[in-house]
Amino acid sequence: MDRQQEFVLRTLEERDIRFVRLWFTDVLGTLKSVSVAPAELEAAFDEGIGFDGSAIEGFARIHESDMVAMPDPTTFQVFPF
């Protein structure tokens, strides 16, 4: 685990953050997200988070729909809402 991943996990614990939203865009630029619990994030850094890509416009055909989102710890931000 690198320093940025450690920083993210430590910040989640120190601030008692209850969920993490992983944001990305589809090929048309529409914002999409996957939410995970902080306890799941360490494994997500290593293995990614699986999701159904057939629900995302332009991502994959139905028979190629299993996708993996790899969180980038360098883009971590805490939002005040």
Side-chain angles (χ1 to χ4, degrees):
M1 180 178 312
D2 68 21
R3 291 178 53 195
Q4 186 65 30
Q5 291 174 350
E6 290 174 2
F7 168 75
V8 170
L9 296 173
R10 186 175 58 250
T11 301
L12 294 175
E13 186 176 331
E14 289 172 356
R15 294 187 179 202
D16 194 30
I17 294 174
R18 298 179 191 191
F19 70 93
V20 177
R21 184 160 291 156
L22 306 174
W23 285 351
F24 58 97
T25 60
D26 64 16
V27 294
L28 300 176
T30 304
L31 185 63
K32 304 293 182 179
S33 69
V34 176
S35 294
V36 296
E40 298 174 281
L41 194 57
E42 185 172 357
F45 284 139
D46 295 331
E47 303 164 15
I49 295 288
F51 68 96
D52 181 11
S54 67
I56 308 295
E57 184 72 31
F59 260 44
R61 294 179 289 267
I62 191 86
H63 63 279
E64 301 170 338
S65 63
D66 293 334
M67 305 292 286
V68 176
M70 297 297 295
D72 181 359
T74 64
T75 62
F76 173 74
Q77 293 290 316
V78 176
F79 290 105
F81 52 84

